[in-house]
Amino acid sequence: MGADSPKRTAAQAAGGPLVHEFGLLLKAATHLERRIDAAMRAEAGIGHVMFEVLLRLCRDPEEQVSQRTLADDVILTSGGVTRLVDRMEAAGLVRRVPSPDDRRVTLVEATEEGERTFVRAVDAHARIVERYFVAPVPPDDRRRLTASLDRITTALLNDDGPAHPED
């Protein structure tokens, strides 16, 4: 800002519409995720992150999924996904198998117990999503909302530029 332009206060910056709108999105997503996580823990014994792993593994049981792919899909570091798979393996939800194509790669697959646990978790997930995401939003608004979220995700995944436009 130039010497003659008015200075914006911290309170004015904090009250900006973009800060407010994005805050609403984060607050809603955080509260929804916490409700889903609590329901799945109570009813299926797993949290939301384990659910996301099982979702990825159960979507196409014939597909071979590496730990690296899991890390990318659930947005964890390779060390984070290794620790998560360790816990899931100890709980009998997944098993590691060597890749038939590359001996350096370890694949992860759901066990029968993992699949049963996932089905219980899906029921809890669906109930919470229905109550707090579907029911409060008119169908046309929900279609626009989900289409917009899809466009935001696509824009973020397709943009390999700097995080700051001035960089």
Side-chain angles (χ1 to χ4, degrees), residues 121-136:
V122 164
D123 292 341
H125 183 278
R127 194 179 63 259
I128 299 300
V129 169
E130 176 66 37
R131 181 173 179 185
Y132 296 106
F133 183 75
V134 175

Side-chain angles (χ1 to χ4, degrees), residues 34-46 124-125 127-128:
R34 285 180 182 165
R35 295 274 176 125
I36 291 169
D37 188 76
M40 288 191 303
R41 285 181 189 281
E43 297 172 35
I46 63 170
H125 183 278
R127 194 179 63 259
I128 299 300

Side-chain angles (χ1 to χ4, degrees), residues 32-33 36-41 43-59 70 73-74 76 84 87-88 93-94 110 114-129:
L32 184 59
E33 195 278 331
I36 291 169
D37 188 76
M40 288 191 303
R41 285 181 189 281
E43 297 172 35
I46 63 170
H48 203 200
V49 177
M50 284 187 183
F51 173 82
E52 291 296 327
V53 168
L54 289 172
L55 171 63
R56 179 64 176 85
L57 298 176
C58 292
R59 185 175 289 137
L70 281 177
D73 288 348
V74 296
L76 288 174
L84 178 62
R87 290 194 317 272
M88 293 179 76
L93 302 173
V94 301
E115 290 175 359
R116 285 191 297 272
T117 299
F118 175 71
V119 171
R120 286 194 311 275
V122 164
D123 292 341
H125 183 278
R127 194 179 63 259
I128 299 300
V129 169

Side-chain angles (χ1 to χ4, degrees), residues 68 75 112 125-126:
R68 173 76 265 157
I75 312 173
E112 287 183 19
H125 183 278

Side-chain angles (χ1 to χ4, degrees), residues 87-162:
R87 290 194 317 272
M88 293 179 76
E89 191 172 41
L93 302 173
V94 301
R95 72 178 140 263
R96 289 179 168 104
V97 295
S99 169
D101 302 323
D102 186 342
R103 64 188 177 110
R104 296 167 298 173
V105 175
T106 299
L107 304 173
V108 181
E109 61 186 23
T111 62
E112 287 183 19
E113 178 59 26
E115 290 175 359
R116 285 191 297 272
T117 299
F118 175 71
V119 171
R120 286 194 311 275
V122 164
D123 292 341
H125 183 278
R127 194 179 63 259
I128 299 300
V129 169
E130 176 66 37
R131 181 173 179 185
Y132 296 106
F133 183 75
V134 175
V137 181
D140 286 344
D141 289 349
R142 194 173 73 254
R143 279 189 284 282
R144 283 191 294 276
L145 172 62
T146 56
S148 295
L149 292 171
D150 186 52
R151 285 192 301 275
I152 291 167
T153 301
T154 299
L156 288 165
L157 293 174
N158 290 338
D159 183 5
D160 58 358

